[in-house]
Amino acid sequence: MITVADALKNIDEHTGLGHKISKSLTEAYAHVLAENVLAPMNMPPFRQSSMDGYALRWSDSTTYNVAGEVQAGIAKNSALKNGDAVRIFTGARVPDDADTVLIQEHTTRESNVLHVNKMPAMGANVRPVGEQVQLGDLVLEEGTFLNEAAIGFLAGLGFEEVSVYAPPKVGILVTGNELQQPGKPLEEGQIYESNAITLQMALKRAGINQVTVKRVGDNLQETVVALEKLLENSALVLISGGISVGDYDFAQEALRKNGVQEVFYKVNQKPGKPLWFGIKGEKQVFALPGNPGSCLTCFYIYVWPMLRKHRGMKNYQNDEKTATLRTPVKNPFGKVLFLKATVSNGEARALGGQASSMLKSFAVCNALLLVPAESEEINPGEKIHYIPLDQLQ
Ligand code: AMP
Ligand code: MG
């Protein structure tokens, strides 16, 4: 049995970056940039008016002659004679002869005569070429998470595609004779299977949509064959159940028979003690305990950070925060506890129903409290570390 810290370290050591892949901007959304992006152009590419008003050459004069108009999108340069102004609109090209845009609210117009009510400083309301970005600038660094703003920014620079780290293809292997699919009637002794969908949804939130699910009974041969198929087509395999020491737990033997090398088995934690992690070449396998609460806890604590690293994120470890505990916590187990809790306004409350078989408390919690193995109790008013679950990416 190893400590939580050692388990995380071992997984980290066996996690590399995904391969680089070129994707259209739409597909690149929520991926991580695999290249430094240099600006292929100046932005703005021409001197732009930032207001509706009049472009003119700055002077002391209080009247100008309105000599024309420039709309946004018009390429032509309008030549200005001394004392001329042109009507101009936001985003339009400022004529080369003009240095200032006077906003329309500070003018009065009588036919072609423009009265200046308030002259701004020279250069006002003109966005210089390259004000935001200059040709060749490093504008986004490798490792940037591409949210909607980053995608829009890249589109504004004319990009259609970018290089990102490919998320891993994931296989899920669900084991258990007692499991029935929702929608079918339950026979005596059966329960509905929920780990596959829980993991699929968690993977979806972690940006992974290419997931294959296989379901097997508690049968060595079936497990070996299904695992072999999943290993063929996935960079990461998650096994649910069958990893304990019962007579019908075949995951370990199936892993051995498939040449998956054990890195560790069993972590000093509750829930989720029988977690198994191994590798086959570059491929990784987590055998997660079948109890739904344990399964999801192990996913949050171990699988998710590994996925973030694989996907190219720089700060991939779980973000640990601190709150003030409002409910007492007891830990007579000498293990790290992960407790489902709500945290709001800096106050943490552990929920009832922490058993590893239960998902009810998980369904309404927004944090996992981290209770150190050596803390026998933590009292209300004391500080406690937690991992927020509602902002994970
Ligand atoms: P196991 O890890 O296979 O020993 O399973 C531990 C407990 O979790 C047992 O009570 C199983 O019935 C339950 N369990 C295992 N797999 C699932 C699953 N996919 N969905 C819901 N419960 C499960
Ligand atoms: Mg089982």
Side-chain angles (χ1 to χ4, degrees), residues 13-34:
E13 281 167 9
H14 289 97
T15 303
L17 275 175
H19 61 274
K20 296 178 182 191
I21 185 171
S22 186
K23 283 193 181 280
S24 72
L25 286 193
T26 319
E27 287 173 346
Y29 174 69
H31 289 64
V32 176
L33 259 185

mmCIF file of all heavy atoms in Angstrom, residues 13-34:
data_model
loop_
_atom_site.group_PDB
_atom_site.id
_atom_site.type_symbol
_atom_site.label_atom_id
_atom_site.label_comp_id
_atom_site.label_asym_id
_atom_site.label_seq_id
_atom_site.Cartn_x
_atom_site.Cartn_y
_atom_site.Cartn_z
ATOM 1 N N GLU A 13 4.851 10.468 -13.045
ATOM 2 C CA GLU A 13 6.065 10.002 -13.725
ATOM 3 C C GLU A 13 5.750 9.169 -14.972
ATOM 4 O O GLU A 13 6.591 9.038 -15.853
ATOM 5 C CB GLU A 13 6.920 9.165 -12.755
ATOM 6 C CG GLU A 13 7.714 10.050 -11.810
ATOM 7 C CD GLU A 13 8.324 9.268 -10.647
ATOM 8 O OE1 GLU A 13 8.274 8.019 -10.656
ATOM 9 O OE2 GLU A 13 8.829 9.933 -9.733
ATOM 10 N N HIS A 14 4.578 8.584 -14.996
ATOM 11 C CA HIS A 14 4.214 7.754 -16.141
ATOM 12 C C HIS A 14 3.225 8.445 -17.069
ATOM 13 O O HIS A 14 2.498 7.789 -17.802
ATOM 14 C CB HIS A 14 3.647 6.418 -15.660
ATOM 15 C CG HIS A 14 4.691 5.532 -15.059
ATOM 16 N ND1 HIS A 14 4.912 5.439 -13.714
ATOM 17 C CD2 HIS A 14 5.612 4.738 -15.646
ATOM 18 C CE1 HIS A 14 5.910 4.607 -13.482
ATOM 19 N NE2 HIS A 14 6.359 4.168 -14.644
ATOM 20 N N THR A 15 3.164 9.768 -16.990
ATOM 21 C CA THR A 15 2.236 10.503 -17.863
ATOM 22 C C THR A 15 3.011 11.456 -18.751
ATOM 23 O O THR A 15 3.755 12.307 -18.249
ATOM 24 C CB THR A 15 1.218 11.301 -17.018
ATOM 25 O OG1 THR A 15 0.533 10.391 -16.163
ATOM 26 C CG2 THR A 15 0.201 12.012 -17.912
ATOM 27 N N GLY A 16 2.834 11.294 -20.051
ATOM 28 C CA GLY A 16 3.488 12.195 -20.998
ATOM 29 C C GLY A 16 2.446 13.083 -21.669
ATOM 30 O O GLY A 16 1.259 13.036 -21.342
ATOM 31 N N LEU A 17 2.933 13.871 -22.620
ATOM 32 C CA LEU A 17 2.036 14.743 -23.372
ATOM 33 C C LEU A 17 1.391 13.966 -24.508
ATOM 34 O O LEU A 17 2.024 13.089 -25.093
ATOM 35 C CB LEU A 17 2.847 15.864 -24.012
ATOM 36 C CG LEU A 17 3.129 17.092 -23.181
ATOM 37 C CD1 LEU A 17 4.046 18.023 -23.948
ATOM 38 C CD2 LEU A 17 1.828 17.809 -22.848
ATOM 39 N N GLY A 18 0.175 14.315 -24.834
ATOM 40 C CA GLY A 18 -0.472 13.749 -26.008
ATOM 41 C C GLY A 18 0.261 14.201 -27.266
ATOM 42 O O GLY A 18 1.066 15.134 -27.219
ATOM 43 N N HIS A 19 -0.019 13.536 -28.395
ATOM 44 C CA HIS A 19 0.656 13.971 -29.626
ATOM 45 C C HIS A 19 0.030 15.275 -30.131
ATOM 46 O O HIS A 19 -1.078 15.633 -29.751
ATOM 47 C CB HIS A 19 0.648 12.874 -30.689
ATOM 48 C CG HIS A 19 -0.707 12.467 -31.121
ATOM 49 N ND1 HIS A 19 -1.459 11.512 -30.473
ATOM 50 C CD2 HIS A 19 -1.492 12.905 -32.150
ATOM 51 C CE1 HIS A 19 -2.618 11.381 -31.077
ATOM 52 N NE2 HIS A 19 -2.671 12.213 -32.095
ATOM 53 N N LYS A 20 0.796 15.938 -30.999
ATOM 54 C CA LYS A 20 0.305 17.207 -31.539
ATOM 55 C C LYS A 20 -0.582 16.925 -32.736
ATOM 56 O O LYS A 20 -0.257 16.070 -33.557
ATOM 57 C CB LYS A 20 1.472 18.095 -31.964
ATOM 58 C CG LYS A 20 2.337 18.484 -30.794
ATOM 59 C CD LYS A 20 3.530 19.313 -31.207
ATOM 60 C CE LYS A 20 4.353 19.609 -29.965
ATOM 61 N NZ LYS A 20 5.375 20.605 -30.164
ATOM 62 N N ILE A 21 -1.658 17.677 -32.832
ATOM 63 C CA ILE A 21 -2.586 17.443 -33.930
ATOM 64 C C ILE A 21 -3.154 18.789 -34.368
ATOM 65 O O ILE A 21 -3.390 19.669 -33.539
ATOM 66 C CB ILE A 21 -3.702 16.461 -33.475
ATOM 67 C CG1 ILE A 21 -4.605 16.090 -34.620
ATOM 68 C CG2 ILE A 21 -4.521 17.007 -32.342
ATOM 69 C CD1 ILE A 21 -5.565 14.963 -34.269
ATOM 70 N N SER A 22 -3.322 18.933 -35.688
ATOM 71 C CA SER A 22 -3.866 20.183 -36.202
ATOM 72 C C SER A 22 -5.386 20.087 -36.226
ATOM 73 O O SER A 22 -5.932 19.103 -36.713
ATOM 74 C CB SER A 22 -3.306 20.400 -37.600
ATOM 75 O OG SER A 22 -3.707 21.652 -38.047
ATOM 76 N N LYS A 23 -6.049 21.088 -35.666
ATOM 77 C CA LYS A 23 -7.519 21.042 -35.638
ATOM 78 C C LYS A 23 -8.077 22.383 -36.073
ATOM 79 O O LYS A 23 -7.462 23.432 -35.859
ATOM 80 C CB LYS A 23 -8.013 20.743 -34.218
ATOM 81 C CG LYS A 23 -7.862 19.275 -33.819
ATOM 82 C CD LYS A 23 -8.644 18.989 -32.542
ATOM 83 C CE LYS A 23 -8.521 17.562 -32.091
ATOM 84 N NZ LYS A 23 -9.372 16.626 -32.807
ATOM 85 N N SER A 24 -9.260 22.327 -36.689
ATOM 86 C CA SER A 24 -9.960 23.569 -37.027
ATOM 87 C C SER A 24 -10.263 24.289 -35.722
ATOM 88 O O SER A 24 -10.314 23.667 -34.655
ATOM 89 C CB SER A 24 -11.258 23.257 -37.758
ATOM 90 O OG SER A 24 -12.186 22.707 -36.838
ATOM 91 N N LEU A 25 -10.484 25.593 -35.807
ATOM 92 C CA LEU A 25 -10.716 26.349 -34.573
ATOM 93 C C LEU A 25 -11.887 25.789 -33.782
ATOM 94 O O LEU A 25 -11.824 25.695 -32.560
ATOM 95 C CB LEU A 25 -10.973 27.824 -34.897
ATOM 96 C CG LEU A 25 -9.775 28.663 -35.319
ATOM 97 C CD1 LEU A 25 -10.131 30.143 -35.285
ATOM 98 C CD2 LEU A 25 -8.553 28.396 -34.454
ATOM 99 N N THR A 26 -12.949 25.408 -34.475
ATOM 100 C CA THR A 26 -14.121 24.877 -33.755
ATOM 101 C C THR A 26 -13.736 23.613 -32.993
ATOM 102 O O THR A 26 -14.115 23.434 -31.838
ATOM 103 C CB THR A 26 -15.243 24.516 -34.751
ATOM 104 O OG1 THR A 26 -15.308 25.526 -35.725
ATOM 105 C CG2 THR A 26 -16.562 24.347 -34.068
ATOM 106 N N GLU A 27 -12.972 22.760 -33.642
ATOM 107 C CA GLU A 27 -12.576 21.505 -32.986
ATOM 108 C C GLU A 27 -11.514 21.737 -31.913
ATOM 109 O O GLU A 27 -11.381 20.943 -30.984
ATOM 110 C CB GLU A 27 -11.999 20.532 -34.008
ATOM 111 C CG GLU A 27 -13.026 19.931 -34.925
ATOM 112 C CD GLU A 27 -12.349 19.101 -36.029
ATOM 113 O OE1 GLU A 27 -11.115 19.221 -36.216
ATOM 114 O OE2 GLU A 27 -13.067 18.359 -36.687
ATOM 115 N N ALA A 28 -10.756 22.812 -32.078
ATOM 116 C CA ALA A 28 -9.660 23.078 -31.128
ATOM 117 C C ALA A 28 -10.179 23.652 -29.817
ATOM 118 O O ALA A 28 -9.447 23.721 -28.828
ATOM 119 C CB ALA A 28 -8.651 24.039 -31.747
ATOM 120 N N TYR A 29 -11.435 24.046 -29.801
ATOM 121 C CA TYR A 29 -12.031 24.611 -28.584
ATOM 122 C C TYR A 29 -11.820 23.658 -27.395
ATOM 123 O O TYR A 29 -11.981 22.446 -27.532
ATOM 124 C CB TYR A 29 -13.536 24.849 -28.793
ATOM 125 C CG TYR A 29 -14.237 25.289 -27.533
ATOM 126 C CD1 TYR A 29 -13.987 26.556 -26.994
ATOM 127 C CD2 TYR A 29 -15.112 24.449 -26.863
ATOM 128 C CE1 TYR A 29 -14.593 26.957 -25.822
ATOM 129 C CE2 TYR A 29 -15.722 24.839 -25.693
ATOM 130 C CZ TYR A 29 -15.458 26.106 -25.180
ATOM 131 O OH TYR A 29 -16.060 26.484 -24.016
ATOM 132 N N ALA A 30 -11.436 24.220 -26.267
ATOM 133 C CA ALA A 30 -11.230 23.463 -25.022
ATOM 134 C C ALA A 30 -10.058 22.478 -25.106
ATOM 135 O O ALA A 30 -9.960 21.564 -24.298
ATOM 136 C CB ALA A 30 -12.503 22.745 -24.576
ATOM 137 N N HIS A 31 -9.203 22.684 -26.104
ATOM 138 C CA HIS A 31 -7.947 21.944 -26.143
ATOM 139 C C HIS A 31 -6.824 22.895 -25.718
ATOM 140 O O HIS A 31 -7.052 24.076 -25.499
ATOM 141 C CB HIS A 31 -7.671 21.419 -27.559
ATOM 142 C CG HIS A 31 -8.570 20.296 -27.971
ATOM 143 N ND1 HIS A 31 -9.923 20.446 -28.123
ATOM 144 C CD2 HIS A 31 -8.306 19.008 -28.257
ATOM 145 C CE1 HIS A 31 -10.455 19.291 -28.478
ATOM 146 N NE2 HIS A 31 -9.490 18.390 -28.574
ATOM 147 N N VAL A 32 -5.605 22.358 -25.669
ATOM 148 C CA VAL A 32 -4.463 23.163 -25.249
ATOM 149 C C VAL A 32 -3.506 23.335 -26.430
ATOM 150 O O VAL A 32 -3.202 22.363 -27.133
ATOM 151 C CB VAL A 32 -3.744 22.489 -24.066
ATOM 152 C CG1 VAL A 32 -2.495 23.263 -23.675
ATOM 153 C CG2 VAL A 32 -4.693 22.378 -22.873
ATOM 154 N N LEU A 33 -3.074 24.564 -26.641
ATOM 155 C CA LEU A 33 -2.171 24.870 -27.764
ATOM 156 C C LEU A 33 -0.871 24.084 -27.653
ATOM 157 O O LEU A 33 -0.245 24.067 -26.594
ATOM 158 C CB LEU A 33 -1.799 26.346 -27.725
ATOM 159 C CG LEU A 33 -2.486 27.315 -28.660
ATOM 160 C CD1 LEU A 33 -1.845 28.689 -28.494
ATOM 161 C CD2 LEU A 33 -2.444 26.863 -30.102
ATOM 162 N N ALA A 34 -0.477 23.480 -28.770
ATOM 163 C CA ALA A 34 0.760 22.697 -28.785
ATOM 164 C C ALA A 34 1.888 23.455 -29.471
ATOM 165 O O ALA A 34 2.950 22.910 -29.714
ATOM 166 C CB ALA A 34 0.514 21.361 -29.486
#
